Amino acid sequence: MKKAMITGITGQDGYYLTELLLAKGYEVTGIVRRTSTPNTSRIENFLSHPGLKIIEADLCDSSSLHKAISLVKPHEIYNLAAMSHVATSFFQPEYSADVNGVGTVRLLEALRSNNLEGFTKFYQASTSELYGKVQAIPQNEKTPFYPRSPYAISKLYAYWAVVNYREAYGMFTSNGILFNHESPMRGLNFVTRKITSSVAKVKQNKMSVLKMGNLDAKRDWGYAKEYVEGMWMMLQQNIAEDFVLATGETHSVREFITEAFRAIDIDIEWRGKTGSLEEKAFCTKSGKVVVEISPELMRPAEVDLLIGDYSKARTKLGWAPKTKFSELVNLMMENDMRLVAEGKL
Ligand code: NAP
Ligand code: F7E
């Protein structure tokens, strides 16, 4: 039986990857950090699965990682754990570097100190945020990086550590450079889920106005469930390489909001100078303001435009995204409409 270890198992991608690997018959070990309130709500349904074990460890603590790896000796490790919120990284730059950057090296070193460098395949959750102030459109594996946040800088360090351990020690280490991927499991403070949960509340009269930051930022948004399949495919190769996963389509935050309202049959109209603090969205039918701008939600430096070229993944892995932008918005809206109606949001 193949053994996989997932750091960040309690997050969005951790949920979908656990579902995938258990369905494939893997024995899965999840690394969960200690928190004062339970952090396993996403994976609640898997906790009683005989194929899943949980070990308490932290990316900031080398000895706990060494011990976890020596207990499991996994065939595959998926390093998904991170302080993953870009806006938060501006307030906690040092912590972001510790978890995302040094944490990755701690995990790679734990493999080496357990003499597993020739045995375990390693997946690193790299990110389209590395492209930052983009140097080419669209972005692929050869596009130079230009990080624009402490989060992206920390992930850049981890990216190069993964390349270096591959070259220096011959380890099977792969960077998945994943563009934004979303789902009903997305954390509530990322923009897509913030929009779908808030629009569902507006519809059900539990919120009147949605406050937003930069509406002009453009992202390449895919469906997380499909992206974890790509992670697994990367580790089934004979030779470790880095791959971009993306949809090849880009949409602005403004378009996402319009689409979310459209999904529940509400037409909105944008008024005020586009991109200004005065811009607002009105419900066409009621005339009420439903979206306005909050300057404190703007970031000190922004990533304006991301659009990925996933041709290498399509050719070498046979991976391609299936869910279209409007389908993704619809499935997230459907989920949040139900959760709001049930009083769970
Ligand atoms: P997420 O929902 O924020 O999950 C992050 C996970 O990391 C959680 O399980 C969290 O645990 C865990 N974690 C944080 N700090 C830790 C620490 N010190 N020790 C151990 N675990 C820790 O993120 P996601 O969206 O699933 O993303 C997965 C990974 O892909 C992240 O590395 C992210 O940076 C990267 N990424 C994401 C995207 C995307 O669009 N989603 C795109 C590219 C790359 P708690 O539950 O206890 O907080
Ligand atoms: O922001 C703008 C914001 O926080 C997207 C992480 O998973 O994907 C994610 O990073 C855009 C930005 O994701 C609000 O300024 C406007 O331009 O959903 P986000 P992100 O920063 O792209 C990458 C690939 C990762 O690797 C990260 O881990 O939306 N925006 N108004 C807003 N963003 C938020 N969060 N909240 C707002 O109110």
Side-chain angles (χ1 to χ4, degrees), residues 193-211:
R193 190 79 199 287
K194 173 175 168 177
I195 294 167
T196 58
S197 59
S198 306
V199 168
K201 286 180 190 165
V202 169
K203 171 79 175 174
Q204 298 181 41
N205 297 320
K206 295 191 170 133
M207 185 190 265
S208 51
V209 181
L210 165 55
K211 307 231 186 226

Side-chain angles (χ1 to χ4, degrees), residues 84-87 126-129 151 178-182 186 189-192 194 211-215 217-219 221 253 297 299 302-303 306:
S84 72
H85 202 268
V86 174
S126 285
T127 165
S128 53
E129 284 293 300
Y151 167 78
L178 270 51
F179 283 63
N180 298 52
H181 45 281
E182 317 295 317
R186 189 57 143 152
N189 59 359
F190 294 94
V191 80
T192 57
K194 173 175 168 177
K211 307 231 186 226
M212 297 299 305
N214 179 9
L215 300 176
K218 293 181 118 184
R219 291 290 182 275
W221 280 297
V253 171
L297 292 170
R299 295 177 183 179
E302 183 58 279
V303 172
L306 291 174

Side-chain angles (χ1 to χ4, degrees), residues 7-15 31-35 37-40 42 57-61 65 79-85 95 98-100 123-129 151 155 176-182 185-187 189-190 220-222 224 227 231:
T7 74
I9 193 170
T10 58
Q12 169 189 256
D13 291 3
Y15 166 82
I31 297 298
V32 176
R33 62 173 167 168
R34 190 267 162 184
T35 46
T37 51
N39 54 357
T40 49
R42 285 191 181 94
D58 197 301
L59 263 276
C60 298
D61 185 87
L65 298 175
N79 183 29
L80 309 184
M83 199 312 285
S84 72
H85 202 268
Y95 177 69
D98 194 17
V99 180
N100 305 355
Y123 172 85
Q124 170 62 15
S126 285
T127 165
S128 53
E129 284 293 300
Y151 167 78
K155 286 281 187 176
I177 308 171
L178 270 51
F179 283 63
N180 298 52
H181 45 281
E182 317 295 317
M185 289 289 159
R186 189 57 143 152
N189 59 359
F190 294 94
D220 178 328
W221 280 297
Y227 284 51
M231 296 177 186

Side-chain angles (χ1 to χ4, degrees), residues 53-222:
K53 279 196 297 193
I54 297 296
I55 294 184
E56 193 178 291
D58 197 301
L59 263 276
C60 298
D61 185 87
S62 309
S63 66
S64 65
L65 298 175
H66 177 88
K67 213 181 300 164
I69 287 175
S70 93
L71 278 173
V72 179
K73 297 192 172 50
H75 298 92
E76 296 170 10
I77 292 190
Y78 296 86
N79 183 29
L80 309 184
M83 199 312 285
S84 72
H85 202 268
V86 174
T88 300
S89 77
F90 285 100
F91 296 100
Q92 300 183 23
E94 191 181 327
Y95 177 69
S96 305
D98 194 17
V99 180
N100 305 355
V102 184
T104 303
V105 170
R106 287 188 188 104
L107 204 53
L108 289 163
E109 280 298 314
L111 282 178
R112 294 187 64 225
S113 56
N114 278 294
N115 299 314
L116 292 171
E117 58 265 67
F119 177 77
T120 306
K121 292 181 167 184
F122 186 94
Y123 172 85
Q124 170 62 15
S126 285
T127 165
S128 53
E129 284 293 300
L130 295 172
Y131 298 119
K133 189 170 176 181
V134 298
Q135 304 295 295
I137 298 172
Q139 299 86 45
N140 63 25
E141 294 80 1
K142 296 203 168 94
T143 306
F145 299 134
Y146 193 135
R148 293 273 282 172
S149 64
Y151 167 78
I153 298 166
S154 69
K155 286 281 187 176
L156 185 70
Y157 177 76
Y159 170 93
W160 282 113
V162 165
V163 173
N164 183 245
Y165 277 57
R166 186 163 71 213
E167 293 175 354
Y169 308 117
M171 291 169 70
F172 189 112
T173 55
S174 275
N175 282 294
I177 308 171
L178 270 51
F179 283 63
N180 298 52
H181 45 281
E182 317 295 317
S183 75
M185 289 289 159
R186 189 57 143 152
L188 287 162
N189 59 359
F190 294 94
V191 80
T192 57
R193 190 79 199 287
K194 173 175 168 177
I195 294 167
T196 58
S197 59
S198 306
V199 168
K201 286 180 190 165
V202 169
K203 171 79 175 174
Q204 298 181 41
N205 297 320
K206 295 191 170 133
M207 185 190 265
S208 51
V209 181
L210 165 55
K211 307 231 186 226
M212 297 299 305
N214 179 9
L215 300 176
D216 288 316
K218 293 181 118 184
R219 291 290 182 275
D220 178 328
W221 280 297

